């Protein structure tokens, strides 16, 4: 059965173009469109699409308000379209806060090398987001808490798996158990590194806002994001977090309690020595699929910090981070992956988990807890 899509935009040209691209994939089908947010809310209720593409600036009701209303009444995976401007970045981040799962630039050819790649990119994003539909349905009856769901399976010895089950499969009769307590491995660290893509802005915000100002290590962050978005995202995180967060600059000296976000369109590399590392920001490179690239940053971290890195791969499409994580593991570093149920797209974490690189698979809502225990702050 084809994935059902609702296209929302006040531009008839853009609605038609997006619909043509989506309908060109036999696995996808546009079942309707809307010209403003109010109409989108109503059609989300009546048509029950699997995925919605949503513009931000529209008359009557804007896209951000529409996302909030849809997530209250008919939770549905939503892909936002936004302009590649600083204001567009801020609005897109607001939409993600409201419940949208992903975004693409309004001129999505801007982040692709050719027209065919741009078409494929949109089709893939819609198809991947459709997989989250099951986990976003409003439960028909009361469900157990996510803390209880997270402990519905025992810890394994070779790999820790604490998955949050879908609310649709939980019932009132499920036994209530206290959340399993993590145990620190006893390893020492001098750096934390996180790589992510689709769904990453929300995931990073959830984790970083729970870290204390006295976090003992510097943190490097690689989020697949356009160049005009990373400065706004870093500023947003800095306002929300107790730690400091900044867009990385060439020559930055890594300091404890500060997170450095790789700038969009560039590559972030580490150099120096453990305890005295610094950043090199270089050109993204025409041959690189991702700018920034998790593999580049993680690989350089392995060469500088060796086994003193606590790293994790969060939600995202593709396999970026697998090779860099393998280099970290070979150096003796720790690698974790976000679990499937809590990912927006289980691509990057799956690549690491399937390769046997990650030592633990963790639900998003317990990653910060796991970090604090591991570094001796809880």
């Amino acid at each position: 059965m084809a994935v059902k899509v609702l296209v929302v935009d006040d531009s008839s040209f853009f609605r038609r173009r997006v619909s043509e691209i989506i309908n060109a994939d036999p696995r996808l089908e546009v079942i309707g469109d809307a010209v403003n947010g109010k109409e989108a809310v109503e059609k989300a209720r009546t048509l029950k699409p699997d995925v919605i593409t949503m513009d931000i600036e529209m008359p009557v009701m804007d896209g951000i308000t529409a996302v909030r209303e849809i997530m209250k009444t008919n939770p549905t995976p939503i892909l936002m379209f936004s302009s590649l401007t600083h204001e567009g970045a801020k609005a897109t981040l607001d939409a993600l806060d409201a419940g949208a799962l992903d975004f693409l630039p309004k001129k999505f050819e801007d982040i692709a090398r050719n027209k065919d790649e741009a078409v494929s990119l949109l089709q893939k994003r819609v198809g991947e987001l459709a997989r989250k539909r099951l986990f976003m349905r409003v439960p028909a009856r009361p469900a157990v808490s996510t803390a209880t769901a997270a402990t519905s399976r025992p810890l394994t010895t070779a790999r820790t798996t604490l998955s949050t089950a879908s609310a649709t499969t939980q019932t009132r009769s499920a036994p209530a158990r206290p959340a399993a307590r993590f145990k620190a491995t006893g390893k020492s660290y001098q750096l934390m590194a996180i790589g992510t893509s689709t769904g990453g802005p929300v995931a990073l915000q959830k984790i970083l806002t729970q870290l204390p100002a006295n976090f003992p290590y510097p943190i490097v962050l690689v989020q697949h994001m356009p160049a005009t978005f990373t400065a706004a995202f870093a500023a947003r995180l800095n306002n929300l977090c107790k730690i400091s967060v900044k867009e990385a600059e060439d020559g930055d000296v890594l300091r404890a309690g500060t997170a450095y976000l790789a700038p969009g369109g560039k590559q972030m590399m580490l150099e120096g020595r453990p305890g005295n590392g610094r950043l090199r920001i270089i050109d993204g490179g025409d041959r690189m699929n991702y700018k920034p690239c998790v593999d580049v940053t993680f690989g350089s971290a392995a060469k500088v910090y060796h086994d003193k890195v606590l790293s994790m791969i969060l939600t995202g499409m593709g396999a970026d981070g697998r090779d860099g994580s393998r280099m970290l593991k070979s150096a003796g570093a720790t690698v974790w992956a976000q679990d499937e149920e809590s990912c927006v797209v289980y691509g990057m974490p799956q690549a690491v988990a399937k390769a046997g690189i990650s030592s633990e698979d963790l639900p998003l809502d317990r990653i910060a807890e796991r970090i604090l225990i591991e570094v001796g702050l809880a």
Side-chain angles (χ1 to χ4, degrees):
M1 182 179 295
V3 171
K4 299 179 295 183
V5 184
L6 173 66
V7 176
V8 184
D9 198 289
D10 60 329
S11 164
S12 59
F13 170 79
F14 196 74
R15 288 198 311 275
R16 183 170 61 254
R17 181 64 184 132
V18 169
S19 296
E20 288 172 351
I21 293 173
I22 292 173
N23 284 329
D25 188 325
R27 298 166 297 180
L28 311 175
E29 178 189 4
V30 174
I31 60 169
D33 60 24
V35 300
N36 58 59
K38 184 177 181 181
E39 188 176 343
V41 173
E42 178 60 23
K43 289 194 174 182
R45 182 184 66 82
T46 58
L47 298 179
K48 294 181 169 46
D50 299 309
V51 177
I52 299 172
T53 69
M54 180 83 70
D55 189 22
I56 290 180
E57 296 182 4
M58 295 181 291
V60 184
M61 180 186 289
D62 64 86
I64 298 171
T65 304
V67 170
R68 291 196 186 98
E69 291 300 313
I70 290 170
M71 299 313 290
K72 286 179 187 176
T73 56
N74 299 281
T76 306
I78 298 176
L79 173 67
M80 303 300 298
F81 284 113
S82 65
S83 61
L84 283 179
T85 65
H86 183 71
E87 288 304 314
K90 290 167 59 178
T92 302
L93 294 169
D94 286 340
L96 295 176
D97 270 351
L101 293 186
D102 196 11
F103 67 93
L104 282 175
K106 195 75 183 275
K107 295 181 179 179
F108 48 93
E109 292 90 345
D110 290 345
I111 57 173
R113 286 170 289 194
N114 54 59
K115 181 180 178 181
D116 289 341
E117 184 181 24
V119 167
S120 177
L121 179 64
L122 174 56
Q123 292 170 342
K124 286 180 179 178
R125 292 287 179 93
V126 171
E128 287 287 347
L129 293 188
R131 299 181 184 183
K132 293 301 293 181
R133 176 65 173 169
L134 173 64
F135 301 104
M136 298 179 69
R137 290 174 183 164
V138 177
R141 48 186 171 181
V144 296
S145 69
T146 54
T148 300
T151 58
S152 59
R153 287 183 284 186
L155 301 181
T156 62
T157 54
R159 175 189 298 279
T160 303
T161 305
L162 289 166
S163 300
T164 305
S166 166
T168 60
T169 64
Q170 300 298 317
T171 67
R172 187 189 296 272
S173 60
R177 301 176 186 173
R181 173 73 176 179
F182 293 112
K183 291 184 179 179
T185 62
K187 293 184 65 174
S188 61
Y189 303 100
Q190 292 181 315
L191 177 75
M192 188 163 80
I194 304 177
T196 185
S197 184
T198 309
V202 173
L204 287 173
Q205 181 174 309
K206 187 173 185 65
I207 294 168
L208 297 178
T209 52
Q210 297 181 65
L211 303 184
N214 65 338
F215 193 78
Y217 317 118
I219 305 166
V220 290
L221 309 172
V222 182
Q223 162 72 56
H224 295 165
M225 188 174 269
T228 51
F229 278 46
T230 44
F233 184 41
R236 186 188 197 91
L237 288 174
N238 189 59
N239 289 333
L240 295 171
C241 296
K242 300 180 184 70
I243 62 170
S244 298
V245 183
K246 71 183 298 286
E247 184 181 44
E249 298 176 85
D250 189 49
D252 274 343
V253 176
L254 296 178
R255 303 186 186 283
T258 300
Y260 303 84
L261 178 69
K266 303 288 185 178
Q267 300 295 352
M268 180 171 71
M269 302 182 69
L270 287 75
E271 59 181 21
R273 55 185 174 80
N276 189 28
R278 58 186 178 274
L279 297 177
R280 284 292 311 281
I281 305 300
I282 63 175
D283 181 71
D286 292 336
R287 297 182 180 180
M288 300 298 294
N289 288 330
Y290 303 106
K291 295 178 281 187
C293 176
V294 180
D295 284 330
V296 170
T297 301
F298 277 27
S300 66
K303 292 178 181 178
V304 174
Y305 284 85
H306 310 292
D307 63 335
K308 304 298 183 184
V309 183
L310 173 59
S311 66
M312 58 209 72
I313 297 292
L314 306 181
T315 174
M317 189 181 299
D320 186 27
R322 178 177 55 198
D323 293 341
S325 294
R326 183 178 286 113
M327 293 177 67
L328 283 169
K329 183 178 181 180
S330 296
T334 298
V335 181
W336 297 339
Q338 186 177 344
D339 73 353
E340 181 175 6
E341 289 86 345
S342 65
C343 283
V344 172
V345 177
Y346 188 54
M348 290 165 57
Q350 181 183 43
V352 171
K354 277 195 169 183
I357 298 169
S358 57
S359 60
E360 302 183 29
D361 298 334
L362 303 161
L364 177 60
D365 61 2
R366 297 197 70 192
I367 290 178
E369 173 194 354
R370 180 69 185 94
I371 291 170
L372 296 178
I373 289 173
E374 182 69 8
V375 304
L377 292 177

